[in-house]
Amino acid sequence: MKKIYRFFCFGLAIMASCSSDDDQSVVADTNDNTQKEIISPIELSDYDNGSGVMMQTFYWDVEPRGEWWTNLSGKIDDWAESGVDRLWLPVATKGASGGYSMGYDPSDYFDFGEFDQHGTVETRFGSRQELETLIEKAHGKGLEVIADIVINHNSGGGEEYNPYRDKNTYTLFDELHGNASGMFNRNFENFYPNSTSNYDDGSLFYAEQNLDHNQEYVQNWLWKSENSVAKYYKNVMGFDGWRFDYVLGYEPWVVKAWLDEVGGFSVSELWDGNADVLSQYVDQTGSGVFDFATFYKLEEAMDRFDDLTVLEGKMLWKTHPDKSVTFAANHDTEKDENEDNRIADENKLKAYAYILTHPGYPTIFYSDYENEAFKEPLKQLVQIHNSLAIGDAEVLYVDNDEYIMKRAGTDDNPGLILYINTSGNTKKRTIKSAWNNSYLMDYTKNVHGSITSDENGEALIEAPANGYSIWSIAKVN
């Protein structure tokens, strides 16, 4: 069967190909009399699988200071149109570093940028009014807003004598000392050690200001009472869920109690690459967890060991797909040049292709999405994820530089086949699909034209050098 291909322009920096025709349709001769059929992609918008992706809306030390909420408000329309359904915001309240704080040094849990303390009224991200405008706009587009919650360590309090440490500590939080809102005032009795708890782990962040969650007073202010942090954030500010920071700093029952009280989407930052540890935490808390096991397997497979067979290892999505929050980068992994905590830029899109086709709930990192070399490919991957990434996952083939995975689809959805190639050459491999006597196309547009499967569903698929392709059925016009 002779095929005449129409090529198109696709602006992916690391594997670009360009011509004057942007149409992915293919003209195929059907017999020797030159009867032609037009082979076109299916409309992905017709295959809504109910999925979405979360956008991490910040990176370390965002600029310009004081304008971040307004900046994000201007991006909501684009994110919503692209298929994002949740926004993970940075810590929204006043930190000890004032206008320079990224929020991970929490001081006043109820100062969203309205009290003059730590040298500023606004937070690094802006005013309370600007935050409320952002949340309202996100909700208007059907996007949930996720609050970053830091309930382990505190910072920025006043100095007081602490009899349980026999020295002065910065554990006094009141209207004059780092807690201008006057809500959830604290002193040395609310931090470890105290009159009811002797626990002290010096390895924790700000160990001297490590909140004692066993105290009824602390529990009431964090999640139980009507004006608690959890209920104020949910009922007054309009947050829809929670990202729990550094959960190694407190026991799993704390997250479970919080969720039992107020509910909502949740994901915990348990920084551990052991899938069994992550799985146990999910079972203990009921919370979703960032899938560090998958992140590190991707880093090892594509960077450290350059061996895709690593992807056969344990990952949280394989046992708890509904609780696995996958990612290819975040504010911490991109903060420094630690190669063991970062996926190299040249492999980033392949890592996103993996998490956006496999089970789990993917997260997109702000700086990657706003990277002009990545933006359009990421939009296409999100569209594929929200439409065709459904059904059981099955690895069809894997070796050191090739990885092929099939999503089985459903009765009403064809599913997909992912092909990752980390070699320096184009790769082709015959695979067995569920698509018999069908035209197939690569929906990433990294491979042009169409192919056909035989009566047994076998097809010769292709992936570009150091790249990826995602195949599914095409339609005949």
Side-chain angles (χ1 to χ4, degrees), residues 223-224 230-231 234 242 244 252-264 266 283-287:
W223 68 84
K224 285 185 176 180
K231 293 179 182 177
K234 178 180 179 180
W242 325 100
F244 292 102
W253 68 261
V254 173
V255 170
K256 185 178 187 307
W258 180 297
L259 295 178
D260 287 346
E261 185 71 31
V262 297
S266 73
D283 293 338
Q284 290 173 326
T285 64
S287 173

Side-chain angles (χ1 to χ4, degrees), residues 274-291 294 314-326 359-361:
N274 187 323
D276 292 335
V277 172
L278 301 177
S279 175
Q280 181 182 33
Y281 189 87
V282 168
D283 293 338
Q284 290 173 326
T285 64
S287 173
V289 178
F290 283 115
D291 195 344
T294 294
K314 288 185 176 182
M315 305 182 207
L316 182 64
W317 71 257
K318 296 182 180 182
T319 59
H320 295 74
D322 60 327
K323 297 297 184 180
S324 163
V325 180
T326 52
Y361 180 53

Side-chain angles (χ1 to χ4, degrees), residues 71-341:
N71 170 59
L72 297 184
S73 290
K75 297 182 180 296
I76 287 175
D77 289 345
D78 175 54
W79 289 343
E81 183 180 344
S82 296
V84 172
D85 66 347
R86 288 190 177 98
L87 304 181
W88 162 20
L89 299 190
V91 182
T93 50
K94 194 71 59 66
S97 303
Y100 293 89
S101 173
M102 286 296 294
Y104 293 101
D105 53 348
S107 179
D108 189 335
Y109 285 99
F110 296 89
D111 181 1
F112 292 89
E114 58 191 302
F115 296 100
D116 188 356
Q117 58 182 333
H118 299 306
T120 181
V121 174
E122 293 188 343
T123 67
R124 185 184 190 109
F125 312 112
S127 68
R128 173 173 177 150
Q129 182 177 359
E130 290 164 345
L131 171 61
E132 291 173 333
T133 298
L134 167 63
I135 294 173
E136 182 180 3
K137 185 171 183 180
H139 286 166
K141 289 293 182 177
L143 278 61
E144 290 192 354
V145 181
I146 307 306
D148 205 323
I149 300 296
V150 187
I151 53 174
N152 169 47
H153 52 277
N154 290 177
S155 187
E159 187 176 13
E160 63 179 348
Y161 177 70
N162 186 337
Y164 303 103
R165 291 186 179 271
D166 194 23
K167 65 176 184 178
N168 284 1
T169 54
Y170 292 92
T171 48
L172 178 61
F173 292 82
D174 60 21
E175 290 86 337
L176 299 178
H177 303 91
N179 200 51
S181 70
M183 302 174 72
F184 194 17
N185 284 339
R186 290 143 276 162
N187 61 33
F188 60 78
E189 274 288 359
N190 306 124
F191 301 93
Y192 291 113
N194 53 54
S195 60
T196 58
S197 302
N198 291 321
Y199 176 79
D200 177 22
D201 186 344
S203 66
L204 296 174
F205 293 131
Y206 303 101
E208 294 179 352
Q209 296 109 259
N210 180 28
L211 280 170
D212 182 357
H213 300 90
N214 295 291
Q215 291 186 352
E216 190 74 14
Y217 178 82
V218 173
Q219 294 176 18
N220 285 337
W221 271 111
L222 286 181
W223 68 84
K224 285 185 176 180
S225 67
E226 288 308 306
N227 59 349
S228 65
V229 171
K231 293 179 182 177
Y232 191 93
Y233 282 38
K234 178 180 179 180
N235 300 329
V236 178
M237 298 303 296
F239 284 102
D240 305 287
W242 325 100
R243 181 264 183 187
F244 292 102
D245 179 68
Y246 189 60
V247 296
L248 289 171
Y250 47 92
E251 298 88 346
W253 68 261
V254 173
V255 170
K256 185 178 187 307
W258 180 297
L259 295 178
D260 287 346
E261 185 71 31
V262 297
F265 170 86
S266 73
V267 57
S268 297
E269 185 206 27
L270 177 57
W271 197 311
D272 196 309
N274 187 323
D276 292 335
V277 172
L278 301 177
S279 175
Q280 181 182 33
Y281 189 87
V282 168
D283 293 338
Q284 290 173 326
T285 64
S287 173
V289 178
F290 283 115
D291 195 344
F292 279 92
T294 294
F295 172 78
Y296 280 115
K297 287 293 184 292
L298 289 169
E299 189 276 330
E300 291 168 358
M302 297 181 183
D303 287 348
R304 201 181 322 183
F305 303 140
D306 194 21
D307 181 1
L308 294 179
T309 63
V310 170
L311 298 177
E312 296 181 287
K314 288 185 176 182
M315 305 182 207
L316 182 64
W317 71 257
K318 296 182 180 182
T319 59
H320 295 74
D322 60 327
K323 297 297 184 180
S324 163
V325 180
T326 52
F327 63 101
N330 65 30
H331 60 299
D332 284 318
T333 67
E334 299 287 307
K335 183 170 57 175
D336 54 40
E337 298 302 321
N338 185 345
E339 294 182 358
D340 291 343
N341 284 328

